Amino acid sequence: MAKDYYRILGVDRDADAGEIKRAFRRLARETHPDANPGDLQAEERFREVAEAYEVLSDPDRRRSYDRGEQIDVSGLFSDFDDLLRSVFGGSGMFGGSGVTRSSRGQDVLVRIGLSLEEAAFGAETQVEFDAEGVCSTCDGDGAAAGAEVLSCRGCGGAGLVRTTRQSFFGSMMTTTTCPRCRGRGREVTRACRRCGGSGIHSQIHSLQVEIPAGVSDGNRLRLRGRGAAAPLGGMAGDLYVEVEVRSDSRFERQGDHLIHRVAIGFTEAALGAEIKIPLLEGGFQTLRIPPGIQPGWVKRLTGHGTPQMGGRRRGDLLVEVDVEVPKALTPDEEDLLRKLAELRGEAPLPRGMGSRRRRGSRKKRPDREMGW
């Protein structure tokens, strides 16, 4: 069954030469093996797109194809570079020996805020940023509809011009950027009005970004080639996504570990207790406090911290327990405590000496301010 070259290029059967060229330029950038490292099928997809263009861009071949005749494509691919230079100009798709080769779009930095749970377990988030993008009117070739893209007549498509001059030391050759095409190696008969012939213009980009589990505050994720577009098919810049992790009232993060601080009453510390500890993944875990713990007692809950970025293990959750001493006592509570002190042979301040000074009373001497 014959291939549908129009479908492969995504154009109508009555598309003109300019539409076919623009469609090929766009698809060649997407399918070229250099733009798809590690993709073993990229070359086959690019070959199919190139074959469709080779047939439909030649008037005689196109007429034969439209009549349903068999097209011999065995000799069409002697040199892919020649094909690309004929479409993208003398510098080829990814640039030539002139300035175009090193032309690269700007890198872009965006910052996103994440909750502690999102940073720990990963998330998908939408980012928006303003940057140069491929012109949708000319598909990035800088040419108006119906215009031609030609190799620069000043440099022959190299983007550079060489000048030889005689000096005291003999002949000296200097190489400079071509003033006619400004190093692009190409020119158009009529420039696109929207982008002024640059092939790019400023636009709002929206991108879904997958945040890996275990990221920390200040981490930067690099998305190659998702930054600002470069003029006339140059390599796009990179997008950097910087993570800002919001504080969480329940936990303090230290690396892959989490710290949860909780205060218990002094009777609970003395007699033991059971308390509920929140977990980052949701829910609670019951923690038994043994009798007689001291302030600053720490219990490690293994594997309840944050996942390691790029790893399989999780950090730990450290529960730090403080003992809360009541600041005010009812008479009954004070009686019970004084009875306990008597049983333990302890000597607290006499009743009333530790109470606060009544409003309007005479100011105490400095040596009495602290209750001594």
Side-chain angles (χ1 to χ4, degrees), residues 148-177:
E148 292 185 90
V149 181
L150 307 171
S151 293
C152 173
R153 289 170 287 177
C155 61
L160 302 170
V161 291
R162 294 177 175 83
T163 304
T164 303
R165 63 185 181 85
Q166 297 297 321
S167 71
F168 178 78
F169 300 100
S171 298
M172 295 187 64
M173 178 178 291
T174 58
T175 302
T176 57
T177 301

Coordinates of all heavy atoms in Angstrom, one line a residue, residues 148-177:
E148 N 10.6 32.8 -0.7 CA 11.6 31.7 -0.7 C 12.7 32.0 0.3 O 13.0 33.1 0.7 CB 12.2 31.7 -2.1 CG 11.3 31.3 -3.2 CD 12.0 31.2 -4.6 OE1 12.6 30.1 -4.8 OE2 12.1 32.2 -5.3
V149 N 13.3 30.9 0.8 CA 14.4 30.9 1.7 C 15.6 30.5 0.8 O 15.7 29.4 0.3 CB 14.2 29.9 2.8 CG1 15.4 30.0 3.8 CG2 13.0 30.3 3.6
L150 N 16.6 31.4 0.7 CA 17.7 31.2 -0.2 C 19.0 31.3 0.6 O 19.1 31.9 1.7 CB 17.8 32.3 -1.3 CG 16.5 32.4 -2.1 CD1 16.6 33.7 -3.0 CD2 16.2 31.2 -2.9
S151 N 20.1 30.6 0.1 CA 21.4 30.8 0.7 C 21.8 32.2 0.5 O 21.5 32.8 -0.6 CB 22.4 29.8 0.0 OG 22.1 28.5 0.3
C152 N 22.5 32.8 1.5 CA 22.9 34.2 1.4 C 23.9 34.4 0.2 O 24.8 33.6 0.0 CB 23.6 34.6 2.7 SG 24.3 36.2 2.7
R153 N 23.6 35.4 -0.6 CA 24.4 35.7 -1.7 C 25.8 36.3 -1.3 O 26.7 36.3 -2.1 CB 23.7 36.6 -2.7 CG 22.5 35.9 -3.4 CD 21.7 37.0 -4.1 NE 20.9 37.7 -3.2 CZ 20.1 38.7 -3.6 NH1 20.0 39.1 -4.8 NH2 19.4 39.4 -2.6
G154 N 25.8 36.8 -0.1 CA 27.1 37.4 0.3 C 28.1 36.4 0.8 O 29.3 36.6 0.7
C155 N 27.7 35.3 1.4 CA 28.6 34.4 2.0 C 28.4 32.9 1.5 O 29.1 32.0 1.9 CB 28.5 34.3 3.5 SG 26.9 33.8 4.1
G156 N 27.4 32.8 0.6 CA 27.2 31.4 0.0 C 26.6 30.5 1.0 O 26.7 29.3 0.8
G157 N 26.0 31.0 2.1 CA 25.4 30.1 3.1 C 26.3 29.8 4.3 O 25.9 29.1 5.2
A158 N 27.6 30.3 4.3 CA 28.5 29.9 5.4 C 28.3 30.8 6.6 O 28.6 30.4 7.7 CB 29.9 30.1 4.9
G159 N 27.7 31.9 6.5 CA 27.5 32.8 7.6 C 28.7 33.7 7.9 O 28.7 34.6 8.7
L160 N 29.8 33.4 7.2 CA 31.1 34.1 7.4 C 31.7 34.5 6.1 O 31.4 33.9 5.1 CB 32.1 33.2 8.1 CG 31.7 32.6 9.5 CD1 32.7 31.5 9.9 CD2 31.6 33.7 10.5
V161 N 32.4 35.6 6.1 CA 33.1 36.0 4.9 C 34.6 36.2 5.3 O 35.0 36.5 6.4 CB 32.6 37.4 4.4 CG1 31.2 37.2 3.8 CG2 32.6 38.4 5.5
R162 N 35.4 35.8 4.3 CA 36.9 35.8 4.5 C 37.5 36.9 3.7 O 37.2 37.1 2.5 CB 37.5 34.5 4.2 CG 37.1 33.4 5.2 CD 37.6 32.0 4.8 NE 37.3 31.0 5.8 CZ 36.2 30.3 5.8 NH1 35.2 30.6 4.9 NH2 36.0 29.4 6.7
T163 N 38.4 37.7 4.3 CA 39.1 38.7 3.6 C 40.6 38.5 3.7 O 41.1 38.2 4.8 CB 38.7 40.1 4.2 OG1 37.3 40.3 4.2 CG2 39.4 41.2 3.4
T164 N 41.3 38.6 2.5 CA 42.7 38.4 2.5 C 43.4 39.8 2.2 O 42.9 40.5 1.3 CB 43.1 37.4 1.4 OG1 42.5 36.2 1.6 CG2 44.6 37.2 1.4
R165 N 44.4 40.1 3.0 CA 45.1 41.4 2.7 C 46.6 41.2 2.9 O 47.0 40.2 3.6 CB 44.6 42.5 3.7 CG 44.8 42.2 5.1 CD 44.2 43.3 6.0 NE 44.4 43.1 7.4 CZ 45.5 43.5 8.1 NH1 46.5 44.1 7.5 NH2 45.7 43.2 9.4
Q166 N 47.3 42.0 2.2 CA 48.8 41.9 2.3 C 49.3 42.7 3.4 O 48.8 43.9 3.6 CB 49.4 42.3 0.9 CG 49.0 41.5 -0.3 CD 49.5 40.0 -0.1 OE1 50.6 39.8 0.4 NE2 48.7 39.1 -0.5
S167 N 50.3 42.2 4.1 CA 50.9 43.0 5.2 C 52.4 42.8 5.1 O 52.9 42.1 4.3 CB 50.3 42.5 6.5 OG 50.8 41.2 6.8
F168 N 53.1 43.4 6.1 CA 54.5 43.2 6.1 C 54.9 41.8 6.3 O 56.0 41.3 5.9 CB 55.1 44.1 7.3 CG 56.5 44.0 7.5 CD1 57.4 44.7 6.7 CD2 57.1 43.2 8.5 CE1 58.8 44.6 6.9 CE2 58.4 43.0 8.7 CZ 59.3 43.8 7.9
F169 N 54.1 41.0 7.0 CA 54.4 39.6 7.2 C 53.8 38.6 6.1 O 53.9 37.4 6.2 CB 53.7 39.1 8.5 CG 54.3 39.9 9.7 CD1 53.5 41.0 10.2 CD2 55.5 39.6 10.3 CE1 54.0 41.7 11.3 CE2 55.9 40.4 11.4 CZ 55.2 41.4 11.9
G170 N 53.3 39.2 5.1 CA 52.7 38.4 4.0 C 51.2 38.5 3.9 O 50.6 39.4 4.5
S171 N 50.6 37.5 3.3 CA 49.1 37.5 3.2 C 48.5 37.1 4.5 O 48.9 36.1 5.2 CB 48.7 36.5 2.1 OG 49.2 36.8 0.9
M172 N 47.5 37.8 4.9 CA 46.8 37.6 6.2 C 45.3 37.4 5.9 O 44.7 38.3 5.1 CB 47.0 38.7 7.2 CG 48.4 38.8 7.7 SD 48.6 39.9 9.0 CE 47.7 39.1 10.3
M173 N 44.6 36.4 6.4 CA 43.2 36.2 6.1 C 42.5 36.4 7.4 O 42.8 35.9 8.5 CB 43.0 34.7 5.6 CG 41.5 34.4 5.4 SD 41.3 32.8 4.7 CE 42.0 33.0 3.0
T174 N 41.4 37.1 7.3 CA 40.5 37.4 8.5 C 39.1 36.9 8.2 O 38.7 37.0 7.0 CB 40.5 38.9 8.9 OG1 40.0 39.6 7.7 CG2 41.9 39.3 9.3
T175 N 38.5 36.4 9.2 CA 37.1 35.9 9.0 C 36.2 36.7 9.9 O 36.4 36.8 11.1 CB 37.0 34.4 9.4 OG1 37.9 33.6 8.6 CG2 35.6 33.8 9.2
T176 N 35.1 37.2 9.3 CA 34.1 38.0 10.0 C 32.7 37.5 9.7 O 32.5 36.8 8.7 CB 34.3 39.5 9.7 OG1 34.1 39.6 8.2 CG2 35.6 40.0 10.1
T177 N 31.8 37.9 10.5 CA 30.4 37.6 10.3 C 29.9 38.3 9.0 O 30.2 39.5 8.8 CB 29.5 38.0 11.5 OG1 30.0 37.3 12.7 CG2 28.1 37.7 11.3

